Amino acid sequence: MTEEVVDGGYSAAALGHGIHTQGDSLEELRTNVREAVACHFDEGQAPRVIRLHFVRDELLQA
């Protein structure tokens, strides 16, 4: 799950794995996600495809 952080930037967390990272821009986040996944899994065990699911919360005044 990927979402915008209130203070700016983006955060990402893997569903089903203890992988969490963040970045100031989407490009930095993508780089950090790839690095975090590579560090989390043993060599040859990392997924071939990483899917980013973007979540955006928006508050509306009633």
Side-chain angles (χ1 to χ4, degrees), residues 5-54:
V5 178
V6 175
D7 296 335
Y10 300 87
S11 68
L15 301 176
H17 297 281
I19 303 172
H20 303 272
T21 191
Q22 59 187 16
D24 291 330
S25 67
L26 285 175
E27 190 56 40
E28 183 180 8
L29 179 70
R30 289 179 182 110
T31 298
N32 292 347
V33 165
R34 287 184 183 106
E35 290 176 1
V37 168
C39 289
H40 181 78
F41 290 96
D42 292 331
E43 189 173 328
Q45 299 299 311
R48 293 183 301 161
V49 175
I50 301 168
R51 180 181 305 213
L52 295 180
H53 173 77
F54 289 88

